[in-house]
Amino acid sequence: MCKVAIIMGSTSDLPVMEEAMKVLKELGVEYKATVVSAHRTPDRLSEFAKRAVKDGFKVIIAGAGGAAHLPGMTASYTPLPVIGVPIKSSNSIDGWDSVLSILQMPSGVPVATVALDGARNAGILAAQIIATSDSVLLDRIVSFKSALKSKVEDSTSIVENHKTK
Ligand code: RP5
């Protein structure tokens, strides 16, 4: 059963949201992805969000651009944690509209908002949430973080030995 649902407002969001899929695959976490538009398919949104627990999901990643109401409205329907990905879309004013729409939720209805186009972090955060009750996945996350650390440590000599022209 897929524990992570990835929803996005439009197929045009896919190039950004694919980064969440890639990292979840890297970490061995199965996901189910689909398009749900808050404004254009509101019934589909409420149906999806209301049955998400029954469908076995543990966390939802929702990405949208412009007047991005998908993550917040999803969070209003479900007790599951929702991670919001603001997207710099074709109808966006530099992405700020999307960032603020997703970030500025009213008290009581949180959406864990990642950076603009930050779908990779959304995938990592979703995996970390699942890993709180999955020790095998937790070990994978520890290795993943350790690889990040090694990459930085291995790169320090580039700066330390750099000679300006
Ligand atoms: C939002 O409007 C979608 O999430 C997308 O980011 C943006 C543009 O959608 P399309 O016009 O490309 O379908 O609702």
Side-chain angles (χ1 to χ4, degrees), residues 8-13 37 39-40 63-66 87 89-91:
M8 60 201 83
S10 169
T11 53
S12 64
D13 298 322
S37 169
H39 304 118
R40 293 173 281 192
I87 293 176
S89 56
S90 58
N91 62 330

Side-chain angles (χ1 to χ4, degrees), residues 65-146:
H69 296 125
L70 180 64
M73 284 308 297
T74 301
S76 75
Y77 280 118
T78 181
L80 296 176
V82 176
I83 303 170
V85 183
I87 293 176
K88 189 174 172 181
S89 56
S90 58
N91 62 330
S92 183
I93 304 169
D94 261 355
W96 279 111
D97 39 13
S98 178
V99 169
L100 297 175
S101 301
I102 296 176
L103 186 68
Q104 293 298 112
M105 288 296 291
S107 178
V109 191
V111 168
T113 309
V114 296
L116 185 67
D117 292 344
R120 185 171 168 83
N121 268 359
I124 296 166
L125 184 56
Q128 288 177 302
I129 292 170
I130 305 293
T132 56
S133 59
D134 179 336
S135 59
V136 174
L137 180 57
L138 191 64
D139 284 346
R140 271 188 231 135
I141 306 260
V142 170
S143 305
F144 177 86
K145 296 269 182 184
S146 163

